[in-house]
């Protein structure tokens, strides 16, 4: 959830560059949509058909786990920044 806050922070910084901001209702709407979607999708996930042969990884702080989180966050920030530059390059 800390990385979600980082992505939200980047989106607010991008909005500040064009002198605008999200209202409290818009922040609430985004948070409700994202957390409700995650809760519903996690609740609908069924069990695996069979157990895996390998033992699960014991540590949450590893190269694979942190790499996945950081790459996902970098991808989200890149999409936001690219969207910003594409938007400002348009001749409205």
């Amino acid at each position: 959830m800390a990385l979600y806050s980082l992505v939200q922070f980047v989106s607010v910084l991008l909005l500040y560059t064009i002198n605008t901001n999200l209202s409290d209702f818009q922040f609430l709407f985004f948070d409700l949509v994202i957390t409700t979607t995650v809760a519903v999708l996690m609740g609908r996930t069924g069990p695996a058909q069979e157990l895996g042969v390998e033992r699960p990884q014991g540590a949450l702080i590893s190269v694979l786990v942190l790499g996945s989180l950081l790459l996902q966050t970098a991808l989200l920030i890149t999409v936001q920044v690219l969207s910003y530059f594409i938007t400002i390059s348009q001749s409205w």
Side-chain angles (χ1 to χ4, degrees):
M1 291 306 286
L3 294 178
Y4 171 68
S5 298
L6 176 67
V7 170
Q8 199 171 38
F9 175 70
V10 170
S11 65
V12 168
L13 285 179
L14 289 172
L15 286 172
Y16 280 168
T17 60
I18 57 174
N19 296 326
T20 188
N21 196 6
L22 294 174
S23 68
D24 290 337
F25 182 71
Q26 288 170 323
F27 274 118
L28 177 67
F29 180 73
F30 290 147
D31 288 341
L32 287 177
V33 166
I34 290 173
T35 53
T36 303
T37 304
V38 169
V40 167
L41 292 177
M42 285 178 66
R44 292 183 53 88
T45 304
Q49 297 297 326
E50 59 185 44
L51 292 177
V53 178
E54 295 180 15
R55 186 175 162 200
Q57 190 173 354
L60 288 177
I61 300 178
S62 68
V63 174
L64 289 175
V65 174
L66 291 178
S68 172
L69 288 173
L70 293 176
L71 283 174
Q72 178 69 21
T73 304
L75 177 68
L76 290 172
I77 290 172
T78 303
V79 167
Q80 285 184 350
V81 171
L82 284 175
S83 300
Y84 169 72
F85 284 122
I86 290 170
T87 302
I88 63 170
S89 70
Q90 301 294 318
S91 60
W92 300 96

